[in-house]
Amino acid sequence: MKRPQIWHYLSVGTVACVLCGCSVSSDIPEDSYLLNKVKVVTDGKYHDINPGSLKNYVHQKPNSRWFSAVKLPLGVYAMAGKDSSWINRTLRQMGEAPVIYDTLQAQQTCKDLQQALQNKGYLDAQVELFIDKKKHKLNAVYVLHPGKPYFVRELDFVVEDTTVARLLRGRSSLLHQGMQFSVETLSAERNAITQYLQNRGYFRFHKEYITYGARKDEEQQGVNLKLLLQQQHKAYNISDIKYEGGADDQRLHLRPKVLSENTFLEVGEPYSAEKLQNTYNHFGRLGAVKYTNIAFEQQPDTTLLDAKIQVQTNKPSTISFQPEGTNTAGDFGAAASLTYQNRNLFRGSETFSLQLRGAYEAIKGLEGYSNQDFTEYSVETKLSFPRFIMPFLTRSFRRRTIATSELSLLYDSQDRPEFHRRVLSAGWSYLWRPQNHHDSYRFDLVNLNYVFMPWISETFKTEYLENTSNQNVILRYNYEDLFIMKMGFGYTYNNGVVALKANVETAGNLLGACSNLFGGSKDDLGQYKLFNIAYAQYVKGDFDYTQQIFKGTNDQLVFHIGLGLAYPYGNSKVLPFEKRYFSGGANSVRGWTVRSLGPGRYKDKDGRINFITMTGDMKLDMNVEYRMKLFWKFNGAIFADAGNVWTLREYADQPGGQFKFSNFLSDMAVSYGAGLRLNFDYFILRFDLGMKAINPAFEIESEAHYPIIHPKLSRDLAFHFAVGMPF
């Protein structure tokens, strides 16, 4: 018997044993039933009700199923014995007790479903319950009979306060004659009126002042509706604003200008709940602020309010230490970082951080190289301002956006047996988002990177960089001194269902223009140089889209597509290594390990340098993942991935790697697999097993091209461990 078949039968047998052995009949009392399935359906007449939208009104739901098929949490619970030993308590905690059908809860579900339909305008709605019993199991079906919807025939607004009545004429109402009667719309109108008035000075107004009267007209299939706003109401103005420190420290550690810039309430202006919330939001985003409390006191016999803003600040300085483990291609090591942070450097909530990091990795003896391990040291410092540091911006624009300006500096030193590498970088960036929006922006005004190689071993030079039989231009380019001056813009949108990221950056254009303008000369390789260092020139764009196709109580289906495209030109024929794309790994096509796929149909022949050759100028990732809660903190997933990387130019050392429309489909790599996730709320540990399904590195005629038909575990299986979700 072949090895894959043995694996298959063992897996099926194990699951079968668990399912057969975990009977729950002993946990079900006599004359009781395990709630097996629950359905909510409609009779399909006169309405457009979606039964799925009403499932939350069902009081009893059956035990959760593993991938909507197997009740694994129930099986885990059934494995526990009757005594209170540690293992039995643990199994009960991890599993899920059997759900016993409850007649009273079923009756309450019928009432709540009927009420929900009536709230949607189906005032004659009825709900029937059908049950089907088999041995110790019971299926429940709730059948909805909504009937015809009712519409608003007559609509009347009665507002006792004439000033308030004039104000409300200036807004558009959610209510109108001819609309389908809906309690949800009535509630939304009530909240909208309350918010509208509270933002125009009505400090003491609340929604309980607004009531409705509705009379059902069965003959006309309609409702006569009246909105009543009772009593006289007063509008209040802000008279004074004062600041004070917190209870622990009465001192104000922020400059007066910073306090006023983050306060949206204004002296002499009407009270506004929206401006109050904006004030809370802006103070809350300041790193120096621990909490903010705003209290109002009414001046006697007036409609004037005095605002007192209490600001408690954090301790300005903190020091943290973080150890970590590393593993690169089987070489184990350790790293540690020490970080100092000051969150109120200039008394304006400016955040200054300084991080020192060191890493060590034991490298197995490399033939022809000195016996040297990998060491890395880096120093990184950042200074963030919680506002725009930019001229010509209006005060209103600054106050409408939540912005950060950031200056960063980095020095990184890496020593390997093959070479020594140094990186110097500096950047100035802006990050901002409009208030109450789902989108955010990033603008890298300038980012400078200087990469230089102070030492390269003679063996590495001889075998790779100077070997006439090795014309790997990509490899040689990435072991030369290089200067990168780039500018970039990024956009992010996320509403909880759809997430979109887009980024574009360009490098070397300003330097190229200056070289042409001032008549710079090219070297033997046709490159302009700055301070005798070649500079990179390219344009790069990335697009990433994720969407929840559906989301249930315990499961969800997620789709993702990622596209990246970069093109070197002018002073560069090859992208810098840090800007090149790679495929495979925990967040890409998971049937391949990281940097082991592509470009295109290229098949690497030298494992020592595949981290260079298996890269490209273009990347495509497409993923579909079905996620399911299993039991306790365990979640599961099944997935299918497709994608690859390609080069836009043709390189002799990457045959089959160039992107061509005629080869696009045959170049696509496809994989499938399953994963286990441990959800600890603050972070997620992820374990994914991916299997190759279609491998473009092999000819179509080869069995290895279709591993889905001819699987081989040693060749086609990849294991991934990661923190966080893949997309």
Side-chain angles (χ1 to χ4, degrees):
M1 185 180 292
K2 294 182 179 179
R3 187 177 178 183
Q5 290 178 323
I6 295 174
W7 180 271
H8 171 76
Y9 289 129
L10 283 175
S11 301
V12 173
T14 301
V15 173
C17 289
V18 171
L19 295 180
C20 294
C22 297
S23 173
V24 296
S25 58
S26 60
D27 294 320
I28 301 176
E30 190 176 354
D31 298 327
S32 297
Y33 297 89
L34 175 72
L35 185 60
N36 185 49
K37 291 182 180 179
V38 173
K39 289 185 179 180
V40 180
V41 299
T42 65
D43 61 12
K45 299 178 181 178
Y46 315 120
H47 61 79
D48 56 356
I49 296 294
N50 177 16
S53 65
L54 299 175
K55 285 187 176 180
N56 289 334
Y57 293 95
V58 178
H59 285 253
Q60 270 196 309
K61 296 180 174 62
N63 290 99
S64 56
R65 296 173 183 264
W66 186 19
F67 301 115
S68 300
V70 182
K71 295 182 178 180
L72 185 62
L74 179 60
V76 172
Y77 184 91
M79 291 171 63
K82 300 299 183 182
D83 60 70
S84 59
S85 63
W86 172 84
I87 184 63
N88 290 334
R89 293 198 309 271
T90 302
L91 288 172
R92 292 190 193 103
Q93 183 181 8
M94 295 174 62
E96 189 177 88
V99 178
I100 307 301
Y101 175 74
D102 188 327
T103 304
L104 294 178
Q105 293 198 54
Q107 293 174 353
Q108 188 61 48
T109 296
C110 290
K111 293 179 182 179
D112 289 350
L113 286 171
Q114 182 182 29
Q115 185 64 56
L117 291 172
Q118 292 173 347
N119 289 344
K120 291 178 178 292
Y122 299 92
L123 302 185
D124 299 326
Q126 299 293 326
V127 178
E128 285 187 283
L129 170 62
F130 295 91
I131 58 175
D132 179 24
K133 302 176 182 177
K134 290 182 180 179
K135 295 184 178 180
H136 289 283
K137 296 181 180 180
L138 181 147
N139 297 332
V141 181
Y142 297 92
V143 181
L144 311 180
H145 304 288
K148 293 182 178 180
Y150 279 67
F151 295 86
V152 175
R153 299 300 181 190
E154 296 182 8
L155 178 62
D156 189 20
F157 292 86
V158 179
V159 182
E160 295 180 1
D161 190 314
T162 56
T163 303
V164 172
R166 284 196 301 270
L167 272 176
L168 295 181
R169 293 191 195 105
R171 62 178 292 272
S172 59
S173 174
L174 300 174
L175 308 179
H176 58 85
Q177 285 183 312
M179 62 171 280
Q180 183 171 327
F181 179 80
S182 167
V183 171
E184 182 179 342
T185 305
L186 300 187
S187 178
E189 173 71 359
R190 197 181 184 206
N191 291 333
I193 291 175
T194 302
Q195 186 179 21
Y196 186 83
L197 293 176
Q198 286 182 348
N199 289 337
R200 285 157 179 79
Y202 289 85
F203 172 65
R204 302 191 183 281
F205 189 88
H206 51 82
K207 63 182 181 181
E208 281 69 22
Y209 289 120
I210 304 172
T211 57
Y212 289 101
R215 183 169 58 85
K216 180 180 176 183
D217 187 342
E218 295 185 1
E219 292 184 1
Q220 297 294 324
Q221 201 76 19
V223 175
N224 298 327
L225 184 65
K226 178 187 291 186
L227 182 150
L228 177 62
L229 200 162
Q230 301 171 316
Q231 299 184 14
Q232 301 292 316
H233 303 275
K234 296 179 180 179
Y236 292 80
N237 283 24
I238 303 296
S239 175
D240 187 31
I241 298 176
K242 292 182 179 180
Y243 303 93
E244 62 180 37
D248 299 335
D249 185 355
Q250 296 296 320
R251 293 176 55 197
L252 281 168
H253 295 276
L254 297 172
R255 300 194 306 272
K257 185 178 180 181
V258 175
L259 295 171
S260 62
E261 282 183 349
N262 289 280
T263 302
F264 286 73
L265 298 167
E266 298 181 63
V267 173
E269 295 293 322
Y271 164 84
S272 169
E274 181 180 10
K275 291 182 177 180
L276 173 63
Q277 188 59 49
N278 285 342
T279 302
Y280 271 117
N281 291 343
H282 276 68
F283 274 103
R285 63 176 286 271
L286 298 179
V289 176
K290 185 177 183 180
Y291 72 83
T292 307
N293 182 61
I294 304 176
F296 296 93
E297 184 177 344
Q298 181 182 349
Q299 295 183 6
D301 302 323
T302 70
T303 56
L304 299 177
L305 297 174
D306 293 333
K308 183 174 67 175
I309 302 179
Q310 186 182 44
V311 181
Q312 175 71 53
T313 54
N314 289 304
K315 293 181 179 179
S317 299
T318 59
I319 297 178
S320 61
F321 176 77
Q322 182 176 355
E324 59 184 273
T326 64
N327 180 9
T328 305
D331 296 328
F332 291 91
S337 60
L338 182 68
T339 304
Y340 166 79
Q341 187 178 71
N342 187 310
R343 291 179 286 192
N344 197 21
L345 187 63
F346 305 122
R347 295 183 62 234
S349 195
E350 301 87 358
T351 300
F352 171 79
S353 65
L354 175 66
Q355 184 185 75
L356 306 177
R357 185 179 185 275
Y360 170 84
E361 203 163 69
I363 297 180
K364 299 173 184 177
L366 298 178
E367 185 177 350
Y369 295 92
S370 61
N371 188 20
Q372 179 184 351
D373 295 325
F374 170 77
T375 57
E376 179 181 12
Y377 305 96
S378 67
V379 180
E380 183 177 15
T381 181
K382 292 183 180 180
L383 178 59
S384 298
F385 301 86
R387 55 192 176 277
F388 273 114
I389 307 295
M390 182 186 292
F392 312 119
L393 293 179
T394 63
R395 184 173 185 268
S396 61
F397 176 79
R398 294 176 188 269
R399 290 167 68 84
R400 287 197 309 270
T401 57
I402 298 174
T404 300
S405 304
E406 184 177 275
L407 172 67
S408 61
L409 300 169
L410 169 70
Y411 173 75
D412 184 70
S413 171
Q414 304 172 13
D415 289 353
R416 291 184 57 88
E418 308 98 313
F419 55 81
H420 293 174
R421 184 185 182 94
R422 306 290 183 262
V423 179
L424 280 169
S425 68
W428 180 261
S429 304
Y430 298 99
L431 300 91
W432 74 96
R433 61 180 177 87
Q435 294 186 60
N436 305 319
H437 282 240
H438 298 296
D439 42 12
S440 59
Y441 306 85
R442 179 185 180 94
F443 177 47
D444 296 318
L445 179 64
V446 62
N447 189 284
L448 307 175
N449 288 272
Y450 173 38
V451 182
F452 62 102
M453 312 288 293
W455 176 82
I456 300 177
S457 73
E458 291 301 323
T459 304
F460 194 77
K461 287 181 182 179
T462 304
E463 289 191 1
Y464 296 115
L465 305 185
E466 297 175 354
N467 189 349
T468 56
S469 63
N470 180 5
Q471 300 299 319
N472 196 326
V473 63
I474 299 175
L475 182 67
R476 292 199 307 273
Y477 180 78
N478 283 282
Y479 289 95
E480 297 174 351
D481 294 352
L482 185 65
F483 183 75
I484 303 173
M485 178 180 178
K486 76 177 183 72
M487 176 185 293
F489 179 80
Y491 170 77
T492 302
Y493 175 87
N494 192 335
N495 64 1
V497 177
V498 172
L500 184 151
K501 295 180 182 178
N503 187 77
V504 62
E505 66 179 65
T506 180
N509 290 336
L510 179 61
L511 297 177
C514 292
S515 298
N516 291 323
L517 181 64
F518 296 108
S521 59
K522 296 183 178 180
D523 61 11
D524 296 338
L525 299 177
Q527 292 180 308
Y528 292 111
K529 291 192 173 183
L530 178 69
F531 306 121
N532 204 33
I533 304 169
Y535 56 84
Q537 194 168 6
Y538 64 87
V539 61
K540 181 180 182 181
D542 294 280
F543 175 82
D544 198 87
Y545 179 85
T546 304
Q547 180 174 353
Q548 288 183 2
I549 299 177
F550 79 81
K551 182 176 183 179
T553 305
N554 293 310
D555 59 352
Q556 59 180 310
L557 182 65
V558 183
F559 168 77
H560 167 260
I561 182 171
L563 176 65
L565 187 66
Y567 185 72
Y569 62 93
N571 215 46
S572 298
K573 294 182 180 179
V574 179
L575 279 174
F577 175 72
E578 291 78 5
K579 301 299 177 181
R580 296 181 69 81
Y581 297 104
F582 61 88
S583 194
N587 300 320
S588 184
V589 186
R590 284 166 279 186
W592 280 258
T593 56
V594 64
R595 300 183 189 274
S596 66
L597 171 60
R601 289 165 289 150
Y602 170 74
K603 185 178 180 182
D604 179 65
K605 299 178 179 60
D606 188 343
R608 291 180 294 177
I609 57 170
N610 62 2
F611 64 96
I612 290 289
T613 58
M614 305 191 80
T615 58
D617 310 319
M618 174 181 174
K619 180 178 180 178
L620 176 65
D621 274 334
M622 294 185 293
N623 316 84
V624 176
E625 185 168 285
Y626 178 69
R627 300 167 181 170
M628 179 67 187
K629 180 176 176 58
L630 300 181
F631 59 92
W632 192 49
K633 297 185 181 297
F634 288 95
N635 295 339
I638 54 177
F639 55 82
D641 306 322
N644 207 330
V645 292
W646 294 267
T647 62
L648 296 182
R649 297 174 182 265
E650 186 171 2
Y651 299 106
D653 298 281
Q654 294 174 300
Q658 187 181 23
F659 176 80
K660 296 180 180 179
F661 281 104
S662 58
N663 296 330
F664 173 67
L665 291 179
S666 60
D667 283 352
M668 289 291 287
V670 181
S671 69
Y672 62 96
L676 183 68
R677 288 87 197 272
L678 276 167
N679 188 345
F680 294 102
D681 297 330
Y682 294 104
F683 67 95
I684 295 174
L685 295 180
R686 175 162 57 93
F687 307 89
D688 285 339
L689 277 176
M691 279 287 291
K692 297 179 179 66
I694 300 176
N695 191 344
F698 294 91
E699 298 295 332
I700 295 179
E701 295 78 11
S702 169
E703 288 188 355
H705 184 80
Y706 294 106
I708 191 171
I709 303 175
H710 308 282
K712 184 178 179 182
L713 293 181
S714 61
R715 179 195 63 199
D716 302 322
L717 182 67
F719 172 75
H720 305 283
F721 167 74
V723 177
M725 301 301 283
F727 43 83

